[in-house]
Amino acid sequence: MHSVKNLFLGKALGVAEYLIPILKESKFKETGVLTPDEFVAAGDHLVYHCPTWQWAAGEESKLKSYLPKEKQFLITRNVPCYKRLKQVDNHQENFEKLVEEGDDGGWVDTHHFAATSQLQDSVSEMVIDDNKGSKAAAAIPAPAARSNSAEEDDDEDGEALDMEEMMEQLEAEDQATLDMPTVIKQTAAAAATVAPAGGDLESGILQTRTYDLNITYDKYYQTPRLWLFGYNENRKPLSVDEMYEDISQDHAHKTVTMEAHPHLSIGLMASVHPCKHAEVMKKIIQTVAEGGSELGVHVYLMIFLKFVQAVIPTIEYDYTQHFQLC
């Protein structure tokens, strides 16, 4: 149902795009939209600071007259995606810690206690053989008993235990105390539980997907638009269902849809629909203004990539600069 609706909507917007005039006067601060020239300026800034992104021309038959021929859209290739979303979308409140409390509830470290819990579980599973352990305990004199019989020991003229013999005896008893095959087996199992989860959940082998990401200018919404196409570890294209495994389920089939690329004839690609981009950017501009600063249009795409990350959190493309909104 969603696919049919999105296909119909895409066709309708394609017709509407031809009818809408090209935006020539900047309305960035007022509404959060971009002119084609502002899109190019923001793209140049992104390419300069993040060389993994490059301009692309696309196909000759799909050139947009309102953009420079060699700067039709932006592209970055082979972006890693180490985990499926279901592998990281396992919220556990007992692992959380409130890092910074504020009016909005503060920031939460969702995995603060995870490593500690796993380590404690691993240690608790490494057991000592009680029967053999009692022998080791009996071989070492208790401090209290040694203190009470100090005078008697001082009066005895017996030979002192040779240091080398004592060490050999303790080592032999320590080896006998531990059930080494069980310990080794349990240690290996504990290590597997904290190994990176990237692909095969049963084997623990890391299977890395990669994505090619594009940013185009959407004439109808007058904002950037993100496109993505994925490959498996053998560099074979992912199916539609496989790509949806790397997309937030809150956005799959809604915010993210499969549509035809405006500059390439490669079939359907996953795209983050731009209907809310201007609204989000407008709120960010207002937040920065309330903090006494001003947001330049040249950083539009850097901010755009950061808030779109919520849609595809396991695709690690965001190598942009750090900045504060206020």
Side-chain angles (χ1 to χ4, degrees):
M1 182 64 183
H2 284 295
S3 59
V4 175
K5 179 180 178 181
N6 292 330
L7 181 61
F8 177 79
L9 182 59
K11 294 290 185 181
L13 291 177
V15 174
E17 183 175 334
Y18 286 102
L19 303 177
I20 291 179
I22 299 169
L23 181 65
K24 296 183 177 180
E25 183 179 350
S26 178
K27 294 183 179 180
F28 169 67
K29 294 181 179 179
E30 295 84 357
T31 61
V33 299
L34 290 177
T35 67
D37 290 342
E38 289 174 330
F39 172 75
V40 172
D44 287 341
H45 186 77
L46 177 65
V47 169
Y48 178 80
H49 288 282
C50 306
T52 54
W53 287 92
Q54 296 294 327
W55 283 109
E59 298 176 10
E60 188 76 23
S61 60
K62 294 180 175 290
L63 290 177
K64 308 298 181 184
S65 60
Y66 47 84
L67 293 170
K69 182 177 180 180
E70 71 283 2
K71 296 182 178 181
Q72 293 285 298
F73 66 99
L74 291 148
I75 184 170
T76 183
R77 295 183 174 89
N78 300 320
V79 179
C81 179
Y82 298 109
K83 302 176 181 178
R84 306 293 72 77
L85 198 61
K86 63 183 178 181
Q87 295 175 251
V88 296
D89 190 17
N90 54 349
H91 177 254
Q92 299 185 49
E93 293 184 358
N94 58 311
F95 285 167
E96 291 184 348
K97 177 184 178 182
L98 186 62
V99 177
E100 180 181 348
E101 190 171 5
D103 295 336
D104 59 352
W107 295 95
V108 176
D109 181 354
T110 57
H111 291 75
H112 183 80
F113 299 110
T116 303
S117 176
Q118 289 168 340
L119 179 59
Q120 289 175 342
D121 291 342
S122 300
V123 173
S124 65
E125 291 177 357
M126 299 176 66
V127 297
I128 301 294
D129 190 319
D130 292 335
N131 294 330
K132 296 178 180 179
S134 61
K135 297 180 181 178
I140 303 175
R146 177 68 183 91
S147 176
N148 294 335
S149 61
E151 294 181 359
E152 296 178 5
D153 291 345
D154 290 340
D155 293 337
E156 294 179 357
D157 295 330
E159 294 182 2
L161 182 63
D162 183 80
M163 181 62 70
E164 293 183 1
E165 293 180 2
M166 184 178 70
M167 292 299 296
E168 291 176 359
Q169 179 181 351
L170 289 175
E171 288 179 2
E173 291 167 345
D174 287 343
Q175 289 295 329
T177 300
L178 293 175
D179 185 356
M180 294 307 294
T182 301
V183 171
I184 293 172
K185 182 178 179 180
Q186 292 174 343
T187 303
T193 63
V194 296
D200 190 336
L201 290 175
E202 294 182 357
S203 66
I205 298 174
L206 186 68
Q207 295 180 348
T208 303
R209 292 178 176 179
T210 56
Y211 277 84
D212 292 344
L213 307 183
N214 299 171
I215 302 176
T216 63
Y217 178 77
D218 192 289
K219 182 186 173 187
Y220 181 83
Y221 288 101
Q222 300 168 340
T223 63
R225 183 169 188 168
L226 184 69
W227 302 78
L228 54 153
F229 192 81
Y231 304 87
N232 64 19
E233 63 275 12
N234 297 317
R235 197 58 187 174
K236 293 182 179 180
L238 298 175
S239 67
V240 172
D241 290 338
E242 286 174 329
M243 282 192 281
Y244 274 128
E245 292 177 350
D246 299 321
I247 296 169
S248 166
Q249 294 307 298
D250 292 334
H251 302 89
H253 303 288
K254 302 171 187 176
T255 307
V256 179
T257 56
M258 297 293 168
E259 300 185 35
H261 195 285
H263 299 282
L264 302 172
S265 299
I266 57 174
L268 298 180
M269 289 182 65
S271 175
V272 181
H273 202 272
C275 58
K276 299 292 184 180
H277 291 354
E279 181 181 344
V280 173
M281 184 58 67
K282 181 181 177 181
K283 290 181 179 179
I284 293 175
I285 294 170
Q286 292 173 345
T287 300
V288 172
E290 290 171 0
S293 301
E294 184 176 340
L295 195 66
V297 70
H298 62 286
V299 298
Y300 193 115
L301 290 180
M302 289 189 168
I303 299 173
F304 167 78
L305 288 172
K306 289 186 180 295
F307 71 70
V308 172
Q309 184 83 63
V311 180
I312 44 176
T314 59
I315 300 177
E316 302 187 10
Y317 66 84
D318 189 7
Y319 299 104
T320 55
Q321 294 175 319
H322 173 73
F323 59 88
Q324 294 181 338
L325 294 181
C326 56

